[in-house]
Amino acid sequence: MTSSSATTVHLAVYDTFADWETGYTTAHLTQNGYTVRTVGLSREPVTTMGGLRVQPDLALAELRPEDSALLILTGTAGWDTGETLAPFARAARSFLDAGVPVAAICGATAGLAREGLLDDRAHTSAVSFYLAATGYAGGERYVEADAVTDAGADGGGSLITAGPTEPVAFAREVFALLGVYDAKKLDAWYRLFHDSDASAYEVLQGE
């Protein structure tokens, strides 16, 4: 029997988080047997950048890596305007140290950079100079790509990063990491949602 931690994904939520950046990811995870639980700094409701009100399922203090298959961190200007969201970056460190993967997109990559989590890992973001402004030491590991997965080392968890304009590539990396689709279906999924390739729909329907 599959444990709940193997099929539970945690999505960090905070005021003005960019709700579109993980829409593909969470929608298709829930369609494939995963449960998405939202995590806030507290259990108080937050409002997304799109104006949606979200009631967190749990507070950050309640989150444990052993209860999760993945932690997802989304973008918001809050990553660059103070230390309010730093606890989420520290949570990401605890996940990676425990061997549980983390996926960060847009401004969340800067939060991880400030926490030192990108110094020794291949990664990407919006642009290289955005991360350079954090003063981090990982500039040589920056990759010009839509999304990057670094498998980690010494038992550490895998880390996915992406820029704000790549929600589909971000989702693709998450699905590949978690084994949501086999290689053929994953390729078709990406071609359908990224390239509007109608022929890919036939592949998806035929699997």
Side-chain angles (χ1 to χ4, degrees), residues 46-66:
V46 301
T47 302
T48 75
M49 194 175 292
L52 303 180
R53 186 176 170 87
V54 177
Q55 177 76 55
D57 294 312
L58 68 161
L60 186 58
E62 303 171 82
L63 179 65
R64 302 187 308 167
E66 58 265 35

Side-chain angles (χ1 to χ4, degrees), residues 118-123 128 132 136-144:
L118 304 185
D119 290 350
D120 301 311
R121 289 172 173 268
H123 61 276
S128 59
Y136 83 132
E140 292 186 354
R141 304 300 303 276
Y142 189 89
V143 180
E144 294 287 353

Side-chain angles (χ1 to χ4, degrees), residues 46-152:
V46 301
T47 302
T48 75
M49 194 175 292
L52 303 180
R53 186 176 170 87
V54 177
Q55 177 76 55
D57 294 312
L58 68 161
L60 186 58
E62 303 171 82
L63 179 65
R64 302 187 308 167
E66 58 265 35
D67 295 333
S68 186
L70 175 72
L71 174 63
I72 302 173
L73 302 174
T74 62
T76 177
W79 285 110
D80 299 314
T81 56
E83 295 296 315
T84 301
L85 299 183
F88 284 105
R90 292 193 289 270
R93 177 180 291 281
S94 70
F95 266 63
L96 295 173
D97 287 347
V100 182
V102 172
I105 186 169
C106 189
T109 60
L112 298 190
R114 292 187 179 92
E115 181 65 18
L117 296 177
L118 304 185
D119 290 350
D120 301 311
R121 289 172 173 268
H123 61 276
T124 194
S125 184
V127 287
S128 59
F129 55 81
Y130 170 62
L131 290 187
T134 68
Y136 83 132
E140 292 186 354
R141 304 300 303 276
Y142 189 89
V143 180
E144 294 287 353
D146 294 343
V148 171
T149 297
D150 184 282

Side-chain angles (χ1 to χ4, degrees), residues 1-64:
M1 182 177 181
T2 303
S3 67
S4 60
S5 63
T7 56
T8 300
V9 169
H10 289 91
L11 171 67
V13 296
Y14 20 79
D15 281 326
T16 72
F17 81 85
D19 38 13
W20 72 88
E21 291 177 344
T22 59
Y24 289 99
T25 303
T26 55
H28 290 273
L29 285 175
T30 58
Q31 290 177 44
N32 285 277
Y34 284 81
T35 298
V36 176
R37 302 195 72 202
T38 52
V39 185
L41 285 170
S42 69
R43 289 190 178 225
E44 291 299 309
V46 301
T47 302
T48 75
M49 194 175 292
L52 303 180
R53 186 176 170 87
V54 177
Q55 177 76 55
D57 294 312
L58 68 161
L60 186 58
E62 303 171 82
L63 179 65
R64 302 187 308 167

